[in-house]
Amino acid sequence: MSSSDKSLDSGTPGGTKSSKDRNPALWGLIGVLAGSLISGAFSVVNAQMAYQASENAANRAQQSTERSIQEENKRKRDEFLRDQRATSYKEFLTNSRLFEDAQLDYLYALS
């Protein structure tokens, strides 16, 4: 019998064992580590997607807030201008009525 025919693990004659058969604990460890690595990679990708989603939500909330502030400022500005316009119209009508009364008084004084 040659040395290549002898079993390295058991010492029993009858052939050699493959590397899988010789060390199942090593293959189990490799499987556990590979599974952990893949699971960790998925966790990192999931965390990045969650971070991106929360960042997008924060950006949308900020834009919505800014839009609301701009709309409120525009509404207040429009209200202020409307009030100023109404005040100016009232003042104009009052002054025109006073001017008309003054004209009528002058006409009565002349006649």
Side-chain angles (χ1 to χ4, degrees), residues 45-59:
V45 169
N46 190 24
Q48 286 176 342
M49 288 172 43
Y51 172 76
Q52 189 68 22
S54 66
E55 192 175 72
N56 290 342
N59 285 338

Side-chain angles (χ1 to χ4, degrees), residues 20-53:
K20 285 184 188 178
D21 294 337
R22 279 188 281 162
N23 203 351
L26 178 65
W27 287 105
L29 178 65
I30 291 172
V32 168
L33 292 176
S36 297
L37 181 65
I38 291 170
S39 175
F42 281 120
S43 295
V44 167
V45 169
N46 190 24
Q48 286 176 342
M49 288 172 43
Y51 172 76
Q52 189 68 22

Side-chain angles (χ1 to χ4, degrees), residues 33-98:
L33 292 176
S36 297
L37 181 65
I38 291 170
S39 175
F42 281 120
S43 295
V44 167
V45 169
N46 190 24
Q48 286 176 342
M49 288 172 43
Y51 172 76
Q52 189 68 22
S54 66
E55 192 175 72
N56 290 342
N59 285 338
R60 283 192 303 272
Q62 181 180 5
Q63 289 173 354
S64 176
T65 302
E66 289 173 356
R67 195 175 312 117
S68 296
I69 290 171
Q70 288 174 350
E71 289 172 0
E72 181 68 19
N73 288 340
K74 184 183 182 303
R75 188 190 61 78
K76 286 181 179 181
R77 180 179 164 270
D78 290 345
E79 184 179 330
F80 173 77
L81 291 175
R82 188 174 34 251
D83 290 344
Q84 291 297 314
R85 192 176 304 127
T87 303
S88 297
Y89 290 158
K90 287 177 187 177
E91 185 178 338
F92 174 76
L93 289 173
T94 303
N95 290 339
S96 66
R97 181 66 185 164
L98 291 174

